[in-house]
Amino acid sequence: GLVGSEMCIRDRCFSPTAFCFLLCDFFVKNRLTSNKNALFVYNVLMERRTKEILGYNVDLFSFDEAVNYIVDKSQNASTQTVTINPEMIAFGDNDKEFGEILKNADLVIPDGFGIKLALKIYGISQEQIPGIEFAKRIIEYCAKTSQGVALLGAKQEILEKACDNLKKEFETLNICYSRNGYFQESDERAIIDELKANNPKLVLCALGVPKQEIFIKKYKSEFANTIFIGVGGSFDVWSGEVKRAPKIFRKLGCEWLWSCLLYTSPSPR
């Protein structure tokens, strides 16, 4: 029966909000995220939860929640996902335009280990959500639902290898548009018109920070239901030209150390 504003289930009392999250958890655990109807029901019940870090709100979703949240939000409007790290916060403090983009993004996921550590200081045990893995999950969603993906950025040879490898990984993937990152501002209008003509569900911009975030913010309103994500050097990894840090390095937040070990060459004698 009902007790005030609470509902009793099997002699345990749950507030309506708690019950909603219990139901959401059921959908995730039963792997219904590939079903469009399940996605919609799941996210209608969700609310965005954030914590401010040095003036910038960071979303506190789990990995699965973040994926579902942005997919559902994109049903009504195009979205921008920022994969925030301490370097981006420092840059945002020195560049007002970039800082405002970070503050107004539709989803801000804790990509950097430093962000996870900062949240830990506030007593929040937050799952780290690497941007490269988040983007890959949205690619998987698009492949399963027969929706187009666009890749923008990197060198031409890197871009081609990344596209080839992604198609091998996801057999039903439709890469409806790809363009290297070597273009001038005067070329942007033609690129946007080509993108719109191909109607991608997902646009991955590998133009580097802050160019990719500024580009997305500038043009996302011209698209109806597209997910935009700035993915930095992800194309280099997907192409096979760059090795990502081993899992143990990523878990300890030491990807930077791996990069130093891998790419720092001995000084000439």
Side-chain angles (χ1 to χ4, degrees):
L2 294 177
V3 181
S5 63
E6 296 185 330
M7 61 196 336
C8 292
I9 301 175
R10 293 186 181 179
D11 299 323
R12 294 184 62 187
C13 288
F14 293 82
S15 68
T17 301
F19 176 72
C20 287
F21 279 104
L22 182 65
L23 185 58
C24 292
D25 188 59
F26 170 82
F27 278 117
V28 172
K29 287 181 178 177
N30 285 276
R31 305 184 64 82
L32 294 178
T33 55
S34 62
N35 180 281
K36 285 187 177 181
N37 292 327
L39 276 168
F40 179 75
V41 172
Y42 176 76
N43 287 291
V44 164
L45 302 175
M46 288 179 64
E47 294 180 3
R48 194 177 181 192
R49 311 182 306 281
T50 62
K51 176 62 181 177
E52 185 177 304
I53 301 292
L54 298 176
Y56 299 89
N57 284 327
V58 179
D59 283 282
L60 302 180
F61 292 128
S62 69
F63 199 121
D64 288 333
E65 287 174 337
V67 170
N68 281 274
Y69 177 82
I70 206 63
V71 167
D72 180 62
K73 191 173 180 65
S74 71
Q75 306 305 318
N76 300 313
S78 289
T79 65
Q80 177 169 13
T81 295
V82 166
T83 61
I84 200 165
N85 57 43
E87 292 78 14
M88 293 173 75
I89 288 178
F91 196 96
D93 285 341
N94 293 306
D95 186 295
K96 185 176 180 181
E97 179 187 11
F98 184 65
E100 288 301 310
I101 291 173
L102 297 184
K103 292 176 181 178
N104 292 289
D106 299 285
L107 179 66
V108 181
I109 57 175
D111 175 86
F113 182 79
I115 301 297
K116 179 180 179 178
L117 186 60
L119 290 169
K120 189 73 173 177
I121 293 172
Y122 283 106
I124 300 171
S125 182
Q126 171 62 36
E127 180 180 2
Q128 188 176 350
I129 306 177
I132 188 170
E133 295 175 18
F134 183 81
K136 184 71 75 71
R137 185 76 72 83
I138 306 296
I139 291 173
E140 180 182 11
Y141 162 78
C142 289
K144 288 182 177 179
T145 55
S146 302
Q147 299 184 85
V149 173
L151 277 69
L152 178 64
K155 296 178 180 179
Q156 185 61 32
E157 58 269 28
I158 294 294
L159 178 65
E160 291 176 0
K161 289 180 180 179
C163 288
D164 289 342
N165 288 338
L166 287 171
K167 288 177 180 178
K168 291 175 183 176
E169 185 173 355
F170 304 104
E171 294 182 0
T172 59
L173 177 62
N174 171 27
I175 297 180
C176 60
Y177 180 83
S178 63
R179 169 71 158 82
N180 66 56
Y182 291 81
F183 57 84
Q184 303 298 320
E185 187 173 355
S186 58
D187 301 318
E188 290 181 2
R189 174 42 52 191
I191 292 171
I192 293 301
D193 288 344
E194 290 171 358
L195 273 170
K196 289 163 72 174
N198 286 281
N199 192 33
K201 177 62 181 178
L202 173 64
V203 176
L204 300 174
C205 293
L207 303 174
V209 176
K211 184 177 180 179
Q212 60 194 21
E213 286 76 23
I214 293 172
F215 181 90
I216 292 170
K217 177 63 176 177
K218 185 176 180 180
Y219 293 112
K220 78 162 186 170
S221 62
E222 296 190 31
F223 297 76
N225 306 102
T226 302
I227 299 169
F228 288 86
I229 309 174
V231 295
S234 296
F235 293 2
D236 297 282
V237 176
W238 294 339
S239 72
E241 293 299 309
V242 172
K243 292 183 179 180
R244 196 177 175 204
K247 192 172 182 179
I248 185 62
F249 280 78
R250 303 200 300 268
K251 187 175 182 180
L252 295 173
C254 296
E255 287 190 77
W256 61 271
L257 178 58
W258 170 258
S259 297
C260 291
L261 294 172
L262 195 61
Y263 299 110
T264 301
S265 55
S267 301
R269 295 183 178 180

